[in-house]
Amino acid sequence: LCWAAGIAAQTYDFGIPRGHFPDDVLNSDLVLVWGRNPKFTSIHFYSLLKQARKNGARIIVIDPVKSATAEAFDCHIRVRPSCDGALALAMCSFIIKNGLCDNEFIKDHVVGFNRFKASVAEFTPEKAEGITGIEKKTIEQLALDYARADKASIYIGYGMQRYYNGGNNVRCIDALGAVTGKIGRKGCGVNYAA
């Protein structure tokens, strides 16, 4: 059921759950490893992450657990279990409010943006701090880093969709890629089934 929830989420959002080839991470400036521990679960991808870091990419691990992967890279953001969607929505809210969206990408590829914008307007980093356990300033900085990176990619693990809000966590993270136009380009993407 958990795998299917994530696949359904990306099918709703992108039409097909197609991620980038793992070695595309070498084209990224910033990588969010979200709810994933590749040091223990995907050693080939972990090797690519280490190489990306040597090439200058910044690696941020978002995970409730201080995993071996979290210990190995630049920054660990410890989100409360099942609150990944809340973090992603607060990041989207901040990005939209501060004019950091890719308006051309939104105009050409995003359906329902104005409704989404209205629905996340009140989902501020302040509100998310109480839900996620992550300080407002950390949420804002993460949103800035992601939005301002030329090539930022997200690699989602399989754990976050095992909660009652299931695939919606994945959908909220997908929205980050959509509002910033980090979809369909080298070194970018929101990769779940990759």
Side-chain angles (χ1 to χ4, degrees):
L1 292 177
C2 60
W3 170 257
I7 293 295
Q10 290 218 312
T11 301
Y12 284 135
D13 294 335
F14 304 132
I16 188 167
R18 184 181 299 158
H20 293 227
F21 287 113
D23 63 351
D24 186 52
V25 75
L26 300 177
N27 296 309
S28 299
D29 303 322
L30 175 71
V31 181
L32 304 184
V33 180
W34 204 316
R36 195 169 182 167
N37 185 13
K39 187 169 184 180
F40 287 172
T41 63
S42 184
I43 196 68
H44 68 289
F45 184 60
Y46 178 71
S47 296
L48 289 168
L49 286 171
K50 288 181 76 170
Q51 188 176 342
R53 185 178 183 202
K54 282 182 187 174
N55 293 347
R58 185 165 176 230
I59 314 292
I60 299 173
V61 179
I62 302 169
D63 200 310
V65 177
K66 188 162 188 169
S67 67
T69 302
E71 290 177 353
F73 290 109
D74 305 306
C75 179
H76 174 217
I77 296 176
R78 196 170 201 159
V79 63
R80 286 186 182 132
S82 84
C83 296
D84 305 274
L87 173 57
L89 290 177
M91 290 171 66
C92 286
S93 176
F94 183 83
I95 288 166
I96 293 167
K97 180 181 176 187
N98 288 282
L100 300 169
C101 296
D102 182 331
N103 293 313
E104 283 298 308
F105 183 87
I106 291 168
K107 181 176 69 96
D108 293 341
H109 302 289
V110 176
V111 176
F113 176 72
N114 288 329
R115 284 181 299 163
F116 178 76
K117 178 180 176 180
S119 71
V120 298
E122 294 181 32
F123 212 91
T124 63
E126 293 89 353
K127 182 175 181 177
E129 181 175 4
I131 297 168
T132 65
I134 301 167
E135 290 184 3
K136 167 190 173 250
K137 66 180 182 177
T138 301
I139 296 170
E140 292 174 345
Q141 189 61 55
L142 181 61
L144 282 171
D145 291 347
Y146 180 74
R148 289 180 175 165
D150 181 42
K151 295 179 180 177
S153 58
I154 302 174
Y155 289 85
I156 302 174
Y158 304 130
M160 73 185 68
Q161 78 284 3
R162 294 181 180 186
Y163 296 98
Y164 70 91
N165 47 350
N168 285 331
N169 280 325
V170 175
R171 295 198 73 199
C172 294
I173 296 167
D174 288 348
L176 278 170
V179 300
T180 58
K182 291 177 175 36
I183 304 291
R185 295 191 298 135
K186 273 187 172 184
C188 295
V190 182
N191 303 281
Y192 172 75

